[in-house]
Amino acid sequence: MLEPVCKADVDVVIVGAGAAGLAAAQHLTRAGLTTKVLEAAPTVGGRMTTEKVDGFRLDRIGRLLSTSYPELHRTPGLNTLALRPFSPGVLLHSDGRHHRVAAPTPRSARGALTAARALASAPRLPRSQSSRPGPLGGHLDQTRLATALARLAATPPEGLLTRPDLPTAQALTTRGLPPRTVNGFLRPLLAALLCDPDLTTSSRAADLALHSFASGRLCLPEGGADTLPELLAASLPPGTVHTGVEVTAVSTTTVTTKDHGELGCRAILLATGARAAALLLPGLRVPAFHPVTVLHHTTDEPPLTDPALLLDADRSGPVAQTAVISQVDPSRAPDGRALVSSMVLGTPPAAAHLDTAVRAQLARLYGTSTTRWELLAVHHTRDAVPAMPPPHDLRRPVRLLAGLYVCGDHRDTGTVQGALHSGRRAAHALLMDLGARPAATQERLETAA
Ligand SMILES: Cc1cc2nc3c(=O)[nH]c(=O)nc-3n(C[C@H](O)[C@H](O)[C@H](O)COP(=O)(O)OP(=O)(O)OC[C@H]3O[C@@H](n4cnc5c(N)ncnc54)[C@H](O)[C@@H]3O)c2cc1C
């Protein structure tokens, strides 16, 4: 149990215990400041929460992290975070077949833009019936794609940000890749990575997403998305995090809560998400958001033994990506059950129609009947991911004025990496204003992917 908030002076009050607020608390605490993190919900994590049902662990988030996200390795408190990788690259489904698209290996990314063998066809599905070329085209097209991915992996993020910033859908037509590669692979991959079905996102943000994909492995936190914020919270000094405390007003030196009185402090950091931040500080920009729905099904047999992320190159239904999550992380399902999680982008149809359409598409993608699968949960998040249309500022200011700061994925990129990185930037700005020394002054504030 957390002790009740009392009216005591503290250096910094952080409003919101999502990934951004908790990362900031880690940096500030390690620099020697006292902090209180006030969270309105009963648990920490914000959008990174995990519902526990009958032995299943069901994430609200669309779960695509990358082992190459720098902040996963640099945020204090995450050193014991276990990441469960998907199999390399992705599995692309088209015309009744699965095609493996492997990201380039680090060696091929460094030296060999000759990575012609980065792509290989996976075994046919049982229902396979087509001998037409797959969505990746012939050998030459595949070599060009492998080369493009290897080049992206080898380019430092700062180099990617010198490219013109266009809507991603438009930029993809200028990259010298065949339409088949763009439509059959890059569009579905980027839609899933950016949670943006129309690819209106800044092409620089898309390049960073492809850089992460090509230089690391897609992965998820072992045990559930909430493992990450829980680890951050658990390694803060006891009494730092207070859940069930809703903040209703802020100034530079006082925080007012709904049911727990006021708290005095030297500085305040808003880490609430963009919409709630603008309620507390009218005038703060609220971006548009991409809505996302995650459906969790269970069945007694895994429909695919490969722990792969599966994309539908034919875009034959509402599902943007799906995976047998229990094959990636067995702790997500009880013994003898398989957990299949699927992500739908945009505003979904009514729940009953949605499940019918999703099951029909999953039957095609996995090549098996889904009629007896059990639906465990449908999580719809309207404000899931902040939109990042061009021109997108990847380092939106985190210092509003001395004593008042803001962080969250809406100040960076709309990803867990962006949220963690914004927390670090805000902590640095705050420490500079207070004349304190960041724990690691040499750390560069790198561009987030
Ligand atoms: C469905 C879905 C799919 C996603 N897919 C991916 C993905 O594949 N890869 C990826 O990297 N990212 C993904 N994301 C985005 C990622 O989850 C977010 O970028 C990240 O979790 C944002 O963290 P945050 O700390 O900025 O905000 P939040 O997690 O929103 O945290 C804000 C916190 O502030 C609290 N709060 C709000 N108002 C108050 C108040 N007045 N008083 C006290 N507390 C308050 C909230 O309760 C919340 O806990 C996805 C998100 C969703 C929802």
Side-chain angles (χ1 to χ4, degrees):
M1 274 295 274
L2 292 164
E3 65 196 49
V5 175
C6 55
K7 196 163 180 173
D9 280 336
V10 63
D11 288 323
V12 185
V13 173
I14 298 172
V15 187
L22 291 168
Q26 283 283 348
H27 295 294
L28 294 170
T29 303
R30 277 159 207 256
L33 298 192
T34 54
T35 60
K36 290 250 182 245
V37 184
L38 307 183
E39 168 56 51
T43 55
V44 300
R47 277 166 275 171
M48 296 192 79
T49 49
T50 302
E51 188 186 358
K52 280 97 179 171
V53 181
D54 298 336
F56 292 97
R57 291 159 182 265
L58 312 176
D59 284 355
R60 172 167 288 277
I61 187 178
R63 77 186 164 253
L64 296 179
L65 308 187
S66 168
T67 54
S68 65
Y69 277 177
E71 295 298 318
L72 292 179
H73 310 285
R74 302 172 65 189
T75 305
L78 292 185
N79 49 321
T80 57
L81 178 70
L83 295 173
R84 304 289 307 204
F86 288 82
S87 52
V90 293
L91 214 51
L92 207 52
H93 181 272
S94 177
D95 205 11
R97 292 179 57 151
H98 284 166
H99 306 262
R100 160 87 49 213
V101 185
T105 62
R107 188 186 302 169
S108 71
R110 265 200 309 276
L113 297 175
T114 57
R117 293 231 58 218
L119 306 164
S121 239
R124 281 171 172 242
L125 277 173
R127 293 190 310 120
S128 170
Q129 43 186 297
S130 168
S131 57
R132 279 183 273 159
L136 298 167
H139 183 71
L140 184 59
D141 289 348
Q142 296 186 22
T143 305
R144 284 157 94 185
L145 173 61
T147 304
L149 286 176
R151 186 175 289 129
L152 270 172
T155 307
E158 298 298 344
L160 297 174
L161 300 185
T162 59
R163 293 178 170 194
D165 203 6
L166 300 169
T168 296
Q170 187 184 335
L172 285 176
T173 62
T174 66
R175 296 287 167 85
L177 289 166
R180 181 160 42 199
T181 309
V182 170
N183 294 324
F185 171 61
L186 288 174
R187 286 192 73 106
L189 175 68
L190 282 169
L193 294 179
L194 301 169
C195 298
D196 174 11
D198 300 322
L199 296 185
T200 54
T201 300
S202 139
S203 56
R204 290 181 182 167
D207 281 342
L208 288 173
L210 284 177
H211 172 83
S212 292
F213 169 77
S215 59
R217 283 271 285 276
L218 295 175
C219 62
L220 43 85
E222 187 174 81
D226 65 358
T227 309
L228 186 151
E230 281 177 0
L231 273 177
L232 291 175
S235 55
L236 290 168
T240 300
V241 180
H242 298 259
T243 53
V245 181
E246 183 183 340
V247 171
T248 52
V250 295
S251 73
T252 50
T253 53
T254 318
V255 167
T256 308
T257 68
K258 190 173 166 205
D259 300 315
H260 299 77
E262 289 192 343
L263 196 63
C265 55
R266 296 169 70 197
I268 291 168
L269 172 54
L270 282 184
T272 57
R275 205 177 291 281
L279 286 178
L280 291 168
L281 284 182
L284 265 190
R285 167 188 166 275
V286 182
F289 286 89
H290 295 301
V292 177
T293 308
V294 180
L295 290 90
H296 299 283
H297 290 93
T298 182
T299 174
D300 43 12
E301 284 285 323
L304 188 70
T305 52
D306 186 344
L309 186 79
L310 183 50
L311 303 178
D312 186 351
D314 303 332
R315 286 178 277 167
S316 66
V319 173
Q321 48 106 328
T322 179
V324 186
I325 290 297
S326 49
Q327 294 294 109
V328 185
D329 176 6
S331 74
R332 306 276 184 127
D335 284 348
R337 303 297 298 173
L339 174 64
V340 181
S341 302
S342 311
M343 190 167 93
V344 170
L345 304 178
T347 305
H353 297 302
L354 177 65
D355 188 37
T356 307
V358 166
R359 278 173 197 266
Q361 188 182 2
L362 294 181
R364 287 190 294 278
L365 293 180
Y366 288 109
T368 188
S369 169
T370 56
T371 48
R372 296 187 56 195
W373 288 15
E374 184 190 341
L375 179 65
L376 291 169
V378 179
H379 293 148
H380 176 67
T381 309
R382 191 190 55 163
D383 293 349
V385 178
M388 300 182 278
H392 180 67
D393 184 355
L394 290 150
R395 288 190 192 160
R396 200 167 281 282
V398 289
R399 180 185 187 273
L400 302 177
L401 49 99
L404 197 53
Y405 310 83
V406 60
C407 67
D409 60 351
H410 58 110
R411 313 308 289 183
D412 236 271
T413 54
T415 60
V416 173
Q417 158 69 22
L420 294 170
H421 189 252
S422 74
R424 187 149 69 92
R425 285 199 295 127
H428 274 241
L430 197 158
L431 289 167
M432 292 300 156
D433 282 347
L434 293 187
R437 218 175 126 80
T441 42
Q442 284 86 327
E443 279 183 7
R444 278 182 54 220
L445 291 173
E446 287 172 357
T447 304

